[in-house]
Amino acid sequence: DKTESFTVKIISRGAEVTLERIEITSPEKTVYYVGEELDLTGFAVTAYYSDGTKALITEGFEVSGFDSETPGEKTITVSYKNVSAQFSVTVLEREPAVLMGDADGDGEITANDAVDVLRYSLSFEPIDEELEKIMDIDGDGEITANDAFLILRMSISLI
């Protein structure tokens, strides 16, 4: 007493089915920093054929054009059986890490940094706001001999 309906497409014998186009579902990650590897998590390729069918392609495609050595917009090309599609990603320059107490910016906390901070604490010369944050170890809004003392302790691993 139940009926079911469905559509059947009849293709004549000898009709060659060809790949017409591919579509890409872009990966979840589209922003990279210089030096990072391409991450294709969430990426998918769908092939569309001349007979109206489509298929999810999981292998046999090539991905090219990714270069994270320089910053900028990068066009990634995906090719499958001589058909291609593209998507874009952005590569950014990585911001340098700020090391609290590194007054001379050499990437290390040494006694030289403590000396620099002590010098600044005794002078009335204006300094860059970012450098002031790096030197103000105790966070009191001022660069004082206490900041120099804390940096000296950091340099000999007491902190």
Side-chain angles (χ1 to χ4, degrees):
D1 293 341
K2 295 182 182 183
T3 61
E4 183 73 34
S5 64
F6 55 92
T7 304
V8 175
K9 184 172 185 174
I10 299 174
I11 302 171
S12 65
R13 285 188 169 203
E16 185 178 324
V17 177
T18 58
L19 176 63
E20 292 186 331
R21 64 186 171 91
I22 61 172
E23 279 186 9
I24 300 168
T25 301
S26 292
E28 294 168 9
K29 183 172 179 150
T30 58
V31 177
Y32 294 85
Y33 288 103
V34 169
E36 283 188 306
E37 298 280 325
L38 183 63
D39 179 356
L40 294 178
T41 303
F43 171 80
V45 178
T46 305
Y48 292 85
Y49 296 93
S50 59
D51 65 354
T53 59
K54 66 181 181 176
L56 182 62
I57 306 303
T58 58
E59 57 185 34
F61 57 85
E62 290 184 24
V63 179
S64 62
F66 181 73
D67 169 24
S68 70
E69 296 305 311
T70 57
E73 182 99 0
K74 309 295 178 167
T75 301
I76 311 301
T77 301
V78 178
S79 301
Y80 178 70
K81 295 187 177 180
N82 296 322
V83 177
S84 62
Q86 298 176 325
F87 66 97
S88 296
V89 298
T90 303
V91 177
L92 303 173
E93 192 71 51
R94 195 176 289 278
E95 291 287 326
V98 175
L99 184 58
M100 293 302 294
D102 183 18
D104 59 12
D106 67 355
E108 296 179 303
I109 298 175
T110 65
N112 289 337
D113 296 308
V115 170
D116 287 347
V117 170
L118 188 57
R119 249 190 232 127
Y120 281 115
S121 74
L122 298 173
S123 74
F124 293 103
E125 295 178 34
I127 62 170
D128 177 79
E129 187 177 314
E130 217 33 59
L131 186 57
E132 188 173 328
K133 290 177 188 175
I134 291 169
M135 291 182 179
D136 184 17
I137 298 299
D138 61 12
D140 66 357
E142 297 180 296
I143 299 172
T144 64
N146 187 53
D147 295 308
F149 176 69
L150 291 172
I151 290 172
L152 186 58
R153 291 188 71 196
M154 290 168 67
S155 74
I156 57 174
S157 301
L158 292 176
I159 297 180

